[in-house]
Amino acid sequence: MDHSADIEKTAGTVDISSRSSSAEKVSEPVAPITIPPKFARWNQRIENLSGLEARGITRVLPDERHAASAFGYIQMALLWFSANISANNLAVGMLGPLLFELGFLDSAMCSVFGIFVGSAATAYMSIWGAQSGNRTMIVARYFMGYWPAKIACFLNMVLMVGYGTIDCIIGGQILSAVSGGGMSIIVGIVIVALVSWVVAVFGMSIFHVYERWAWIPQLIVLFILIGSAGPSFNASLPNAVEGSAMTASRLSFFSLQLSVPVSWAAASSDFYVYYPESTKRPFVFLMTFTGLSLAFILVNLIGIGLASGVATNPAWEAANGVSSGALILAGFDGLRGFGKFCGVIVALGVISNNIPGTYASALGCQVLGRYGKTVPRYLWVCVIVLVYFVCAAAGRDHLYAIFQNFLALMGYWVMIFVAIVLEEHLLFRRRSRLGFDWTAWEDKKRLPLGIAALIAFLVGWVGAIIGMHQTWYVGPVAESVGGADIGTWLGVAFAAVLFPPLRFLELKKFGR
């Protein structure tokens, strides 16, 4: 699919008037928000820049889409593969042996199967973009209701900002290690944040071109890392825990591995809204799943390998004491100066992972309300980048704590959200032939009330809380099963059991 054509500019500016597209039916008029003429003229000049995506959250109508092509499907897989063969995901793999004290085999098995489940959930959520022309958090209104969907939107923004923080820290750590400590981590954080800002500001056309090629040097360098560090991998590393503690570690690491790919679920449709309505949903699912799973499996297995060698390689043990970024760079030690060059490439690779989240977060700011919608997307990008830059600078010495607590905590709500979407789709929309009116994307009177979804979502959180195992809190159920983090599974179970009967009653009472 050719994303170089600036089709998004056919929509005009970014919803400065806060009105829907004139081609869509709106039963309830929205009061306009007055914009200072000087700001409007300044905004117009910026949005007319070549290559800059002017559209915000306004639905992409069928006649505004790109033409179908075989490469369009390949681009889906390339996008997710490129975005996720990055150092931050490699560092997640290290947690199996280093934090959960699992052996190489157990870490690898938990990683692969966790990635499969998380990638499948994200691939499922990606099918709505081309079909609806709406961003993921707009699509959420059809499943959770207009107002409850804002909760999911806010949580997704927190999630994406969190990943932006992690990306900046990892990139800064590696660049600092390459310089032998001569360059501070903060300088590396600035570099990652700045490049991410430039690409995210210009939006979809530049983003797709960047992701189309960024994976090539990353993949080459990762294979070089395997060749350089592979002899020190300890594939026979045994578990350091036994009995119930081992079971708890397996389940917790499996859940953590699941939570990383599934974290894209609430943004995955954002990148397919310019695909035609005729795009085949099975192909969208398959290509998204393929790109995600291949990328995550590759980098996590490398991360597990590096971590497995820490116990037997004194140089790696010393590097790990500095940072995970230093451990990654230590894998290139035998290559001397060329190894440092490879380290720079790995560090810059986190930018590919950072751009989609920055882009999705900016759209989320517009979804939250009509006042947020009046602010152009590119300005929200500036705000988001500034926020995660400050967070990264403040948390640069606490990366493992952020990984262990933040990623798992965010994984709870995403899986609960996906469970509600799946049940609404299969049990009510498809079975009852309710269908979707995608033109009603901002009409509260034509969208579900969301009472059933809100109650199920909140009760699901209750399940997550009593089943979670974090450093700052251990739920009673988690404690009773040996400390395993089962928050994701209890949360999904509570929501999945409660939602169908509540939704049936909601439809019977209100008819929508």
Side-chain angles (χ1 to χ4, degrees), residues 28 49 72 80 202 212 224 241 274 287 305 317 337 339 371 434 447 449 457 464 490:
E28 181 181 3
L49 291 174
W80 295 111
F202 275 86
R212 188 180 304 165
I224 292 173
V241 287
Y274 292 105
M287 300 309 290
E317 184 179 10
Y371 290 101
L434 293 177
L447 290 167
L449 289 175
F457 187 77
L490 283 182

Side-chain angles (χ1 to χ4, degrees), residues 8-24 26 30-36 39-40 43-44 47 52-61 64 133-135 138 141 146 274 362-363 365-380 439 441-443:
E8 60 267 20
K9 289 193 182 294
T10 61
T13 60
V14 178
D15 258 339
I16 288 295
S17 65
S18 190
R19 293 189 178 97
S20 295
S21 171
S22 59
E24 298 187 356
V26 177
V30 179
I33 297 174
T34 303
I35 302 298
F39 173 79
N43 176 71
Q44 187 68 46
E47 291 186 341
L52 190 141
E53 182 183 10
R55 185 186 298 273
I57 60 171
T58 304
R59 179 178 180 243
V60 183
L61 301 177
E64 296 176 327
N134 287 316
R135 312 290 184 168
I138 294 294
R141 295 173 175 176
Y146 183 87
Y274 292 105
L363 293 172
C365 294
Q366 294 188 327
V367 174
L368 284 179
R370 57 192 290 259
Y371 290 101
K373 186 181 170 187
T374 63
V375 178
R377 182 194 59 80
Y378 63 84
L379 286 182
W380 282 124
T439 67
W441 63 277
E442 62 175 352
D443 188 344

Side-chain angles (χ1 to χ4, degrees), residues 348-365:
L348 296 179
V350 299
I351 295 171
S352 296
N353 186 265
N354 210 17
I355 294 168
T358 306
Y359 180 88
S361 298
L363 293 172
C365 294

